[in-house]
Amino acid sequence: MNQNKSDEQLGKFLSLILRHRPETIGIKLDEHGYANVDELLKGINKSGRQIDLNTLERIVRENNKNRYHFNEEHTKIRANQGHSIPVDLEFQKVMPPNILYHGTASRFLGSILKEGIKKQGRQYVHLSEDYETAVKVGERHGVPVVLVIDAKRMAQDGVEFYLSENGVWMCDKVEKKYIIEQKKVK
Ligand code: HQG
């Protein structure tokens, strides 16, 4: 479903708070990445934006990538993945599919082919099961290139993989030897 502009902007702000900078509105996340919903709403309203519980519920429900998760009582909320701050999202180790994709920009290729794929600012390297998603991720950074990753061999070699609630695959690093193909997006 397409979100209205104001929900979309609030959603972006929510990502900033829940993944990167909760201190922006003077709150802290717990060790598992959860914010207290009351504190979150008060903090956002104090920052000059307007949000109530209904709006937050709608943003979570309609989010195109299912980015956020409430606890059962809806008293706490966290982002499903994408953090730069150290939180323990309680991911379980999962066997990956044989192939995973990483979308990036052509300008990063030289460095990636030298150093492998690094997590940069985030907690993990992000990978996807489908090519189209990787194209979209890459487009955020420039001319997209999709790297095909030999996830099966990585797992055989002992690399751990995790899967977020919203279907994003993650690992600590992808060494260059596991990049089996570069696909230029047409
Ligand atoms: C690149 C979005 C040079 C890497 C997406 C990427 C994703 C290197 C950029 C999630 C490198 C980091 C994450 C190296 C990696 N040299 N560049 N050695 N290793 N890079 O945004 O994967 O919409 O931190 O290829 O859907 O683009 O926010 O990671 O281009 O799931 O929910 O460094 O963010 O989700 O960029 O995106 P990012 P990402 P949301």
Side-chain angles (χ1 to χ4, degrees):
M1 195 183 297
N2 278 333
Q3 286 187 306
N4 66 50
K5 260 263 159 304
S6 135
D7 279 9
E8 202 182 308
Q9 278 166 4
L10 278 170
K12 288 204 170 127
F13 190 60
L14 203 56
S15 278
L16 174 79
I17 304 299
L18 296 179
R19 289 170 166 179
H20 309 296
R21 301 188 52 187
E23 70 276 9
T24 307
I25 56 162
I27 65 166
K28 286 200 167 119
L29 307 183
D30 72 14
E31 60 176 321
H32 298 305
Y34 280 106
N36 173 290
V37 169
D38 284 341
E39 286 178 15
L40 176 78
L41 294 175
K42 281 197 190 113
I44 294 179
N45 282 314
K46 269 199 200 149
S47 78
R49 295 164 182 83
Q50 279 190 335
I51 189 168
D52 57 17
L53 184 58
N54 278 336
T55 305
L56 181 65
E57 299 263 0
R58 185 176 65 239
I59 290 171
V60 172
R61 195 171 57 240
E62 293 181 358
N63 187 263
N64 60 348
K65 282 197 188 168
N66 186 20
R67 287 184 178 89
Y68 318 104
H69 174 81
F70 281 113
N71 66 341
E72 218 169 294
E73 301 83 23
H74 286 211
T75 52
K76 296 194 289 181
I77 182 170
R78 75 178 175 191
N80 280 324
Q81 40 70 227
H83 299 74
S84 56
I85 45 180
V87 291
D88 173 13
L89 295 181
E90 306 155 283
F91 290 133
Q92 302 295 317
K93 188 183 156 190
V94 205
M95 274 311 270
N98 292 347
I99 294 293
L100 283 169
Y101 300 99
H102 177 79
T104 189
S106 57
R107 66 196 162 100
F108 297 147
L109 264 186
S111 162
I112 288 179
L113 295 176
K114 251 191 250 148
E115 306 173 341
I117 308 172
K118 300 208 257 181
K119 52 195 173 183
Q120 308 293 48
R122 307 208 189 228
Q123 266 192 310
Y124 298 99
V125 170
H126 286 220
L127 304 163
S128 66
E129 216 163 319
D130 64 295
Y131 174 82
E132 287 71 26
T133 301
V135 172
K136 285 191 200 134
V137 173
E139 276 170 346
R140 292 161 44 253
H141 300 287
V143 177
V145 177
V146 174
L147 303 177
V148 183
I149 311 298
D150 191 347
K152 182 180 181 183
R153 200 169 127 225
M154 285 175 71
Q156 282 167 349
D157 291 349
V159 178
E160 301 200 340
F161 284 86
Y162 310 97
L163 179 61
S164 72
E165 290 215 16
N166 58 339
V168 177
W169 284 90
M170 289 159 291
C171 65
D172 189 54
K173 187 182 178 202
V174 178
E175 284 180 34
K176 60 183 177 187
K177 64 180 173 189
Y178 299 118
I179 301 172
I180 49 183
E181 200 186 332
Q182 304 163 30
K183 286 183 186 277
K184 287 217 177 84
V185 180
K186 281 170 205 106

